[in-house]
Amino acid sequence: MQKSECHGVVQLRNRKAGSCDQRTSSSMQIKHRTTVQQSNSSSSTSSPETARKVHPRPSDKLNPKTINPVASDKRHTVIMMKNGNDFGEQSRAPSAFAAIYSKGGIPCRLVHGSVKHRLQWECPPENLPFDPLLITLAEGLRETKHPYTFVSKEGFRELLLVQGALEKAVPLLPRLIPVLKAALVHMDDEVFARGLNALVQLSIVVGPSLNDHLKHLLTSLSKRLRDKKFKEPITSALQKLEQHGGNGSLIIIKSKIPTYCSICY
C-alpha cells in the first residue's frame, strides 16, 4: 500500500515537472520568435530601400519629378531679366563690319609683322571716298575680335590723316556721330577706349565743326568718369576737344561735365 502511494506521488511529481518543462520551452520559443521578428523588422528598416525613403539622396533633388516646373520657370525668368539688365548694351546687334571685311568691302588688308602689324591699302587712301568707308570703319570700332579690331581702329586713323580729310569728313558728321556714340556707350572697356581715341582723332581734323554734335557724346563720357581707370584718359580727351574746338567747346563741356577744369583758364 505504501509502495503504490509512493509510486503515485512520484508520477504526480514527474507530471508537474514535465508541464513546467513544456511551459519553459514554450516561453523560450515565444521569446525566440519575438527576437527573430524584431531582428527582421530592424533589418528591414535599415535596408537600402527604406534608407532612401527616409533619407532622400542628394541626386533626388535633381530629378525633374521633384522640381516644381512653375517655380523653376519663374526663377529662369528672373535670371534672364537680370542678365538682360546687366548686359543690355552687349546684347545689341554687332556691326556689319566683319561681314563687309570678309567680302572685300574694305580696301585694305592686315599685314602681320614681326614687331607690329600694319595695313596695306589697295590704293592710296587719299584717293578713296570717305562715304561710306569712314562710317564703316567707325562701325568696326565695336568689334571685339581680331583682325577686325585692328583694321577698324588703324583704318579710321589713317584715313583721317590724308590730305583733304577735313572737307571729306565734315559732311559725314551727322551720320558719323551716332556710330561713335555707340562705341562710347559700349560695356566693353576696349571698345570704349577705341571710340574715345577715334573721337579725339576726329576732333583734330574737323576742329570746331564738331561742337554742334559734341553734346550727344559727353553724357557717356561723364558716366565713365566715375570709373577711376578712365578718369585720366577721359580728362585728356576733353582737353584735346577743348584745344581743337575753341571756346565754344568749353561751354558745351562745362554744361555736361561741370567738374571739368579748362586748360586755358
Side-chain angles (χ1 to χ4, degrees), residues 7-231:
H7 181 68
V9 171
V10 171
Q11 289 181 346
L12 181 60
R13 290 178 178 176
N14 291 337
R15 289 176 183 176
K16 289 182 178 180
S19 63
C20 290
D21 292 339
Q22 290 178 355
R23 291 177 183 176
T24 303
S25 64
S26 299
S27 64
M28 292 178 65
Q29 290 177 356
I30 292 172
K31 290 181 179 180
H32 178 70
R33 291 175 182 176
T34 303
T35 304
V36 170
Q37 290 177 355
Q38 290 178 351
S39 64
N40 290 336
S41 63
S42 63
S43 63
S44 63
T45 56
S46 62
S47 62
E49 296 180 357
T50 306
R52 284 195 296 269
K53 292 180 180 179
V54 177
H55 302 288
R57 297 173 298 179
S59 60
D60 291 340
K61 297 180 180 180
L62 304 178
N63 190 340
K65 295 181 180 180
T66 65
I67 298 176
N68 185 349
V70 177
S72 63
D73 289 342
K74 290 181 179 179
R75 289 194 296 269
H76 179 70
T77 303
V78 172
I79 292 173
M80 291 298 292
M81 290 176 64
K82 289 182 178 180
N83 289 340
N85 291 335
D86 292 341
F87 304 102
E89 297 294 342
Q90 292 184 349
S91 63
R92 294 181 179 181
S95 72
F97 180 82
I100 296 175
Y101 180 79
S102 62
K103 294 178 181 179
I106 307 298
C108 64
R109 283 294 178 267
L110 173 64
V111 177
H112 294 273
S114 58
V115 179
K116 62 179 182 179
H117 306 319
R118 64 180 181 87
L119 292 182
Q120 180 177 350
W121 295 88
E122 296 177 0
C123 63
E126 55 268 17
N127 297 336
L128 296 172
F130 275 31
D131 188 8
L133 181 57
L134 186 65
I135 298 174
T136 303
L137 291 169
E139 288 178 347
L141 297 173
R142 288 183 287 141
E143 296 288 346
T144 56
K145 295 182 179 179
H146 184 78
Y148 313 126
T149 53
F150 179 82
V151 173
S152 60
K153 176 185 67 174
E154 187 64 16
F156 188 88
R157 185 188 70 84
E158 292 186 10
L159 202 59
L160 288 177
L161 292 177
V162 302
Q163 186 177 2
L166 172 62
E167 294 77 10
K168 295 180 180 180
V170 169
L172 299 179
L173 288 178
R175 297 160 55 195
L176 191 58
I177 295 304
V179 180
L180 288 179
K181 182 179 178 180
L184 292 174
V185 300
H186 202 283
M187 296 299 294
D188 189 284
D189 291 345
E190 294 183 357
V191 172
F192 171 78
R194 288 194 293 270
L196 186 64
N197 290 333
L199 176 60
V200 172
Q201 294 161 8
L202 184 63
S203 174
I204 296 173
V205 174
V206 301
S209 300
L210 187 62
N211 293 345
D212 293 338
H213 310 276
L214 200 55
K215 60 182 180 180
H216 302 293
L217 305 172
L218 293 177
T219 302
S220 58
L221 298 185
S222 176
K223 293 179 180 179
R224 289 277 186 161
L225 271 173
R226 303 169 187 173
D227 193 338
K228 293 182 179 180
K229 65 175 173 288
F230 287 116
K231 186 174 182 179

